[in-house]
């Protein structure tokens, strides 16, 4: 039998949701029938709106898609203005204030505390400036990711930006690809760094070369079925297909159609193409694609160039995460800024937009590391840009612990999360920076903190992986983490091994400190942290991890989702002002 979600989508889905959304916005939160909340909240996702967690009724998260992370001149200012005007909620975050933007691990933008009544004005501002929330969520093509400096980087084999842009233009709003069994995540990589992270996407186009009719063609090999969600991670698998750049849309659309027709619509847990690849195998995927879904003859895979990848490989080579100052192919420079856990206050966003205009072309780009890049900076502008006070907070030369910190939304807004995330990872990074020293040859160290098993922070591909759990300590329920080690991508990708379970949150920094100290003392010459982990079994690593209390203090230990907002002074859900009307005034409770 079809799931509830499939029934809801059969009734209303895709472009037509917008008309209903606008009607609800005009009439207000109470116009949505209470017994239809789940159905409409599911549909709203197609237009980039997620209803926030319990206790925050009438407030939404809004996701803005920026294909390949490209934010064109003028657009960042618009995003900052929208955040400042519409994304200030009834409570302040003690670290980030009342209004902020989140840069995501899929090169998108997220805003919080959005009121339904403000959506029409926000959409108008976005669309007047070439931005959209369309299909930023929901069962369709999500934001297409890739190298954030595509078209500007000297490490490119092929400029992937025109391909990503064409896929975005072709399939966003395309009725044939509107209603898929679940989300469809696509990566296009054209550089030798591998920063598109194709291994963890449903569809990955990765750089390759092939001799065709006596001509050496640079294009893409195709991999299918990657993903990290829940406890079923998969690496994308090679289906033995090489694609010319001009045929990328045909093959990508064919695979999307194959998933549309054959993906599981009766069990949403299994409704990802990674499970179809498990069931069918890569040979059947390829043959069905050729026979039923494309009109071109598929070439066999070309020369794989993945051995050159450096992005998140566990090595310290290359320019990996694009943080720092790097020369572009045209002689200008791009400057990658570290945004700790991907969150930037609205005022800082507006100031950064001004700096992008003053020192560069006005264009900025988002990375899958939750960081932001200013592009097209002439050499003469580098020193004055680097002297700007804002760059003291968003550094191009951060501590490895700041540089490698990624965190998802967490219990601040997400109904799935089990623990507080962003403020905690900020505290972890700062404590580690002050108390722990990595070997001098380690400029990067990745710690990814995810609030649950949904893996939005991509924990399985980090040096240290943290997955939100709960446990008891001294008789009290507390927030905790499963701890994994040794994940990463590259030529030889591997997922982290989960070493310790349900470690109380205040003992995690001590565990990481003990492990790094042992690594520094016992490593072989030149051995990377990932190699150190790979060389040891789980029992030995568990002994080396050794969780313990330190002078690190965790103010969120005992929240365990008891309050409507993790940073609220009150200690109960009933203190919430939600739901509220369009002006933010509390609505009276039903009699």
């Amino acid at each position: 039998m079809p799931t509830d979600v499939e029934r809801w989508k059969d009734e209303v889905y895709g472009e037509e949701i917008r008309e209903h959304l606008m009607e609800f916005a005009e009439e207000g939160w109470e116009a949505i029938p209470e017994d239809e909340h789940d159905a409409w909240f599911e549909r709203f996702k197609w237009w980039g709106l997620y209803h926030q967690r319990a206790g925050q009724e009438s407030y939404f998260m809004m996701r803005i898609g920026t294909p390949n992370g490209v934010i064109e001149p003028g657009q960042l200012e618009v995003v900052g203005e929208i955040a400042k005007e519409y994304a200030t909620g009834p409570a302040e975050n003690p670290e980030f204030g009342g209004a902020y933007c989140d840069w995501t691990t899929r090169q998108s933008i997220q805003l919080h505390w959005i009121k339904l009544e403000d959506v029409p004005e926000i959409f108008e501002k976005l669309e007047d400036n070439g931005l959209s929330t369309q299909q930023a969520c929901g069962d369709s093509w999500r934001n297409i990711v890739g190298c954030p400096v595509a078209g500007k980087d000297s490490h490119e084999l092929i400029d992937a930006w025109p391909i990503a842009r064409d896929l975005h233009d072709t399939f966003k709003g395309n009725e044939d690809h509107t209603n898929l069994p679940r989300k469809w995540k696509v990566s296009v990589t054209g550089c030798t760094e591998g920063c598109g992270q194709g291994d963890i996407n449903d569809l990955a186009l990765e750089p390759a070369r092939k001799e065709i009719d006596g001509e050496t063609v640079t294009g893409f090999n195709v991999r299918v079925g990657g993903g990290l969600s829940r406890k079923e991670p998969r690496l994308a698998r090679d289906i033995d297909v090489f694609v010319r750049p001009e045929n990328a849309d045909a093959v990508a659309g064919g695979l999307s159609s194959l998933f549309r027709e054959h993906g599981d619509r009766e069990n949403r847990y299994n409704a990802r193409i990674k499970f179809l690849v498990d069931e069918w195998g890569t040979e059947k995927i390829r043959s069905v694609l050729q026979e039923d879904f494309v009109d071109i003859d598929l070439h066999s895979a070309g020369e794989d160039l993945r051995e050159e990848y450096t992005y998140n490989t566990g090595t310290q080579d290359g320019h990996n995460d694009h943080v720092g100052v790097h020369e572009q192919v045209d002689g200008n420079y791009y400057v990658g800024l570290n945004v700790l856990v991907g969150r930037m206050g609205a005022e800082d966003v507006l100031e950064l937009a001004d700096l992008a205009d003053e020192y560069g072309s006005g264009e900025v780009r988002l990375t899958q590391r939750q960081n932001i890049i200013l592009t097209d900076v002439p050499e003469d502008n580098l020193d004055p840009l680097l002297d700007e006070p804002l760059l003291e907070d968003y550094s191009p030369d951060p501590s490895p612990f700041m540089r490698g910190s990624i965190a998802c939304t967490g219990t601040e807004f997400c109904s799935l999360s089990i623990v507080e995330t962003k403020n905690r990872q900020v505290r972890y990074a700062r404590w580690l920076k002050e108390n722990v020293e990595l070997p001098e040859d380690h400029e990067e160290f990745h710690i990814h903190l995810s609030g649950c098993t949904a893996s939005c922070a991509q924990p399985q591909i980090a040096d240290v992986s943290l997955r939100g759990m709960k446990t008891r300590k001294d008789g009290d329920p507390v927030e905790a983490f499963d701890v994994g080690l040794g994940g990463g991508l590259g030529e030889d990708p591997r997922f982290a091994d989960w070493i310790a379970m349900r470690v109380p949150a205040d003992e995690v920094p001590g565990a990481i400190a003990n492990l790094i100290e042992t690594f520094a003392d016992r490593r072989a010459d030149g051995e990377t942290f990932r190699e150190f982990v790979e060389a040891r079994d789980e029992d030995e690593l568990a002994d080396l991890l050794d969780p313990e209390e330190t002078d690190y203090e965790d103010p969120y230990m005992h929240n365990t989702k008891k309050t409507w907002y993790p940073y609220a002074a009150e200690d109960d859900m009933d203190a919430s002002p939600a739901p509220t009307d369009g002006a933010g005034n509390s609505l009276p409770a039903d009699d």
Side-chain angles (χ1 to χ4, degrees):
M1 296 291 291
T3 63
D4 286 344
V5 173
E6 289 298 322
R7 288 192 296 101
W8 298 333
K9 292 193 297 180
D10 283 344
E11 294 166 3
V12 179
Y13 207 59
E15 293 278 356
E16 62 182 322
I17 297 169
R18 183 175 178 129
E19 180 180 345
H20 297 274
L21 178 58
M22 293 304 172
E23 290 175 358
F24 288 134
E26 182 177 353
E27 297 174 21
W29 163 259
E30 291 184 298
I32 307 175
E34 189 169 350
D35 62 351
E36 296 179 17
H37 277 187
D38 288 346
W40 286 112
F41 295 164
E42 186 63 39
R43 293 171 182 140
F44 289 170
K45 292 177 184 177
W46 202 89
W47 279 101
L49 291 169
Y50 269 93
H51 187 245
Q52 292 180 182
R53 53 161 284 195
Q56 298 173 6
E57 289 77 16
S58 75
Y59 290 101
F60 290 82
M61 178 272 280
M62 176 180 284
R63 184 179 296 154
I64 304 165
T66 53
N68 210 81
V70 176
I71 302 178
E72 297 174 353
Q75 291 180 338
L76 186 64
E77 182 178 7
V78 171
V79 170
E81 290 172 349
I82 291 172
K84 184 177 180 180
E85 184 173 357
Y86 299 103
T88 300
E92 283 205 356
N93 183 301
E95 181 64 42
F96 299 102
Y100 36 81
C101 297
D102 285 345
W103 318 131
T104 80
T105 54
R106 290 196 63 78
Q107 296 172 283
S108 295
I109 304 164
Q110 290 183 175
L111 307 177
H112 300 282
W113 298 122
I114 299 297
K115 301 292 297 176
L116 193 64
E117 294 84 349
D118 292 330
V119 167
E121 291 183 18
I122 297 173
F123 277 8
E124 183 177 1
K125 289 177 182 290
L126 290 172
E127 291 162 3
D128 283 349
N129 290 276
L131 293 164
S132 176
T133 67
Q134 184 186 60
Q135 292 172 245
C137 320
D139 293 348
S140 60
W141 281 65
R142 297 293 187 88
N143 195 53
I144 296 166
V145 299
C147 175
V149 287
K152 301 179 183 295
D153 189 31
S154 59
H155 297 76
E156 284 183 324
L157 298 162
I158 182 172
D159 181 0
W161 169 227
I163 311 300
R165 182 174 52 200
D166 180 58
L167 293 176
H168 174 87
D169 293 344
T170 300
F171 295 106
K172 289 288 187 177
N174 186 319
E175 288 189 4
D176 290 338
H177 303 268
T178 290
N179 181 359
L180 303 179
R182 282 290 298 279
K183 64 189 76 172
W184 182 248
K185 296 183 174 181
V186 177
S187 165
V188 186
T189 303
C191 69
T192 57
E193 303 291 335
C195 44
Q197 296 195 147
D199 276 310
I200 57 173
N201 280 266
D202 297 301
L203 168 61
L205 302 180
E206 299 195 287
R209 294 192 187 96
K210 187 173 178 65
E211 290 286 334
I212 300 177
D213 298 330
E215 176 190 6
T216 300
V217 179
T218 302
F220 304 94
N221 282 345
V222 180
R223 291 175 178 261
V224 177
L228 301 176
S229 60
R230 306 302 174 188
K231 294 185 178 181
E232 293 277 1
R234 298 285 191 281
L235 295 168
R237 282 148 279 185
D238 187 349
I239 64 168
D240 191 28
V241 171
F242 173 85
V243 180
R244 291 178 179 268
E246 61 268 26
N247 292 329
D249 58 348
V251 172
L255 283 162
S256 173
S257 298
L258 183 153
F259 177 51
R260 179 193 65 214
E261 297 301 319
H262 297 287
D264 191 338
R265 292 183 185 266
E266 296 182 358
N267 182 341
R268 284 186 67 79
Y269 181 83
N270 292 329
R272 295 295 299 274
I273 198 170
K274 64 184 179 182
F275 297 115
L276 189 62
V277 178
D278 288 350
E279 180 184 350
W280 282 12
T282 55
E283 290 185 10
K284 182 175 180 180
I285 293 286
R286 189 189 196 284
S287 65
V288 172
L289 173 66
Q290 177 70 87
E291 293 168 11
D292 298 340
F293 295 103
V294 295
D295 294 327
I296 60 173
D297 291 332
L298 298 176
H299 296 288
S300 60
E303 176 193 358
D304 192 339
L305 302 172
R306 290 162 55 90
E307 73 274 2
E308 299 184 45
Y309 281 6
T310 63
Y311 193 78
N312 198 20
T313 58
T315 68
Q316 302 293 312
D317 300 325
H319 65 300
N320 292 356
D321 57 6
H322 306 97
V323 170
V325 178
H326 304 279
E327 188 172 4
Q328 296 177 181
V329 70
D330 63 0
N332 289 323
Y333 290 80
Y334 69 83
V335 180
L337 306 180
N338 175 229
V339 182
L340 185 57
V341 301
R343 178 165 287 178
M344 181 176 281
E347 294 288 356
D348 289 349
V349 172
L350 292 170
E351 184 177 347
L352 187 66
D354 289 340
L355 297 184
D357 286 334
E358 181 177 355
Y359 296 109
S361 64
E363 179 192 79
V364 299
R365 298 195 177 189
L366 304 178
T367 83
Q368 293 193 69
R369 286 278 171 272
Q370 299 183 322
N371 294 321
I372 195 163
I373 299 170
L374 277 65
T375 63
D376 308 318
V377 180
E379 186 172 8
D380 289 346
N381 287 355
L382 280 176
D383 287 341
L385 170 60
L386 296 173
D387 286 339
E388 286 286 347
L390 187 68
L391 272 63
E392 295 178 9
D393 295 323
Y394 305 101
S395 174
D397 185 26
S399 153
F401 296 115
M402 315 292 272
R403 180 176 188 162
S405 286
I406 286 180
C408 69
T409 299
T411 53
E412 185 175 10
F413 302 113
C414 180
S415 60
L416 297 177
S417 185
I418 300 171
V419 301
E420 196 282 334
T421 55
K422 285 193 180 286
N423 281 21
R424 177 172 281 131
Q425 182 56 35
V426 167
R427 297 174 69 88
Y428 281 177
R430 289 173 178 164
W431 187 89
L432 291 166
K433 177 184 176 183
E434 295 300 321
N435 292 277
V436 179
E437 288 192 14
L438 280 162
E440 290 185 358
D441 60 352
H442 274 57
E443 296 181 359
E444 294 187 29
F445 191 83
H446 300 141
I447 302 174
H448 294 194
L449 188 155
S450 201
C452 72
T453 59
S455 302
C456 296
Q458 303 174 348
Q460 296 95 330
I461 57 169
D463 294 306
V464 174
S465 311
L466 302 176
R467 182 173 63 196
M469 292 288 162
K470 293 181 182 178
T471 192
R472 299 190 76 85
K473 182 172 181 177
D474 301 327
D476 295 324
V478 296
E479 298 191 352
F481 292 93
D482 292 344
V483 182
L485 300 175
L489 299 180
E491 180 186 7
D492 181 27
R494 71 187 299 267
F495 296 129
D497 293 322
W498 295 100
I499 301 301
M501 303 298 160
R502 300 182 185 275
V503 177
D506 63 341
E507 298 179 22
V508 168
I512 297 173
N514 289 334
L515 180 63
I516 291 175
E517 181 180 354
T518 303
F519 162 62
D521 288 343
R522 299 187 188 178
R523 65 187 293 233
D525 288 345
E527 187 176 34
T528 67
F529 180 81
R530 182 168 159 188
E531 291 168 341
F532 180 84
V533 170
E534 288 180 0
R536 287 157 177 81
D537 62 29
E538 291 186 11
D539 289 339
E540 182 180 0
L541 291 171
D543 289 339
L544 300 181
L545 196 63
D546 190 21
E548 69 168 333
E549 292 183 1
T550 61
D551 62 355
Y552 168 83
E553 296 182 0
D554 197 308
Y556 314 114
M557 280 284 290
H558 298 278
N559 181 53
T560 61
K561 230 170 182 178
K562 294 177 182 177
T563 57
W564 68 277
Y565 189 62
Y567 319 116
E570 299 87 353
D571 193 28
D572 63 82
M573 293 291 291
D574 293 335
S576 170
T580 61
D581 63 17
N585 301 311
S586 296
L587 293 169
D590 294 334
D591 294 332

